[in-house]
Amino acid sequence: MALHPTIVYGPLRSRRLGPSLGINLLPGRRKVCNFECIYCECGWTDPSVRDPLPTLASFRRDLERQLDKLSRDGVQLEHLSFAGNGEPTLHPEFAPIIDAAIELRDRYCPGARIAVLSNATRILNNGVLQALQRIEDPVLKLDAGTEAMFRLIDLPETGLTLDRITDGLCRFGGEVIIQTLLLRGSYEGRCVDNTTDEEVDAWIERLLRIRPRNVMIYAIERQAPAPGLEKLPSTELARVARRVEEAGLHAEYYP
């Protein structure tokens, strides 16, 4: 289980975003998410841990302290990346936090971009959508093309559907990056495979509705909480990326 105990962590080198300063808006000892993805590097949610969320004031203090230090040390960042221990947009002060991050970025490292890695479930909330539209790189999850595979891989809370998420992603007018994790294996006796022709066809149909500016395709990198899942080779990622390119969209893959 890879939880981040602090609000700000790194810098680290992201395989997708380059040299990045990580930001965790969630508790340091537990995951907070409305998905329970079977591949999540944060592990399963532990309901027995009840740590509070960080405040806007503590976020601002910690981020400014680290950006000031990195600036004085001459460290160059490509991104400030909101990810952390679950779903960052669930923080009730997400919008003002984004405003504070933009202000501090502009002051200390104006060459860096801001990225939010999100499961896209909160973009039907206008405040969250508008906050994501103010940053350079909203990177939003779409792990499946069919409702059945979505529910098997992402284990969403009741009421969250793939169609609702797709409708929300269409609200970006194409100014969004889609991230998709490809995997194969089994979970609780059911076959998991979002790389079949049926799944890829349905997923590309959704991408063509969303018209993202980029599609990031990647494989499991760390130990998944669910046993029996396979890390796919780069050839499999490349095959799916080619399908996206053939459909007229841009894709990158990260083995």
Side-chain angles (χ1 to χ4, degrees):
M1 187 166 64
L3 292 175
H4 300 286
T6 57
I7 299 172
V8 179
Y9 55 95
L12 46 83
R13 184 161 188 87
S14 164
R15 57 179 168 165
R16 288 172 286 166
L17 300 174
S20 301
L21 189 66
I23 298 171
N24 172 40
L25 299 182
L26 304 166
R29 297 192 304 140
R30 68 181 176 104
K31 183 174 75 173
V32 175
C33 195
N34 48 8
F35 281 2
E36 191 76 288
C37 298
I38 60 177
Y39 60 79
C40 181
E41 65 183 39
C42 294
W44 301 123
T45 300
D46 183 351
S48 68
V49 180
R50 305 300 298 171
D51 288 359
L53 297 172
T55 64
L56 171 59
S58 61
F59 160 78
R60 186 183 184 95
R61 179 199 64 220
D62 288 7
L63 181 59
E64 182 164 20
R65 181 181 298 158
Q66 184 68 338
L67 289 180
D68 179 56
K69 180 180 184 301
L70 294 174
S71 176
R72 287 186 282 105
D73 291 346
V75 176
Q76 300 295 313
L77 296 171
E78 289 187 16
H79 278 91
L80 309 183
S81 302
F82 288 80
N85 301 339
E87 175 50 42
T89 65
L90 289 173
H91 196 292
E93 295 184 288
F94 178 72
I97 282 172
I98 289 296
D99 289 340
I102 292 171
E103 176 195 335
L104 294 172
R105 182 275 311 272
D106 291 349
R107 185 187 310 169
Y108 291 102
C109 55
R113 300 167 68 88
I114 294 176
V116 174
L117 279 63
S118 167
N119 65 18
T121 57
R122 293 269 294 147
I123 52 180
L124 292 176
N125 176 291
N126 285 331
V128 170
L129 174 67
Q130 290 163 11
L132 290 171
Q133 289 174 325
R134 290 196 291 275
I135 66 170
E136 290 79 16
D137 294 319
V139 183
L140 306 185
K141 181 197 300 284
L142 188 70
D143 281 337
T146 66
E147 183 71 24
M149 190 59 63
F150 161 67
R151 305 200 77 76
L152 180 59
I153 293 175
D154 292 339
L155 297 180
E157 281 185 355
T158 302
L160 296 173
T161 68
L162 189 56
D163 283 344
R164 286 190 67 208
I165 289 171
T166 304
D167 289 343
L169 289 166
C170 290
R171 298 179 73 191
F172 280 88
E175 288 302 315
V176 66
I177 298 167
I178 295 297
Q179 61 169 349
T180 299
L181 186 136
L182 298 180
L183 73 167
R184 191 179 292 140
S186 63
Y187 175 66
E188 294 188 343
R190 298 176 62 189
C191 176
V192 177
D193 189 350
N194 59 355
T195 71
T196 65
D197 288 342
E198 176 189 6
E199 279 296 325
V200 173
D201 286 347
W203 173 69
I204 289 176
E205 284 183 16
R206 292 182 186 275
L207 293 178
L208 289 173
R209 287 179 54 199
I210 299 163
R211 308 299 303 185
R213 72 174 193 252
N214 191 17
V215 180
M216 293 179 168
I217 299 168
Y218 61 112
I220 293 172
E221 184 177 21
R222 298 181 179 89
Q223 180 65 43
L229 301 179
E230 177 185 345
K231 176 180 171 64
L232 296 182
S234 59
T235 52
E236 287 285 310
L237 307 185
R239 175 181 64 83
V240 176
R242 282 195 301 271
R243 291 285 311 279
V244 176
E245 296 276 354
E246 289 165 0
L249 300 172
H250 180 65
E252 299 173 348
Y253 65 94
Y254 303 85

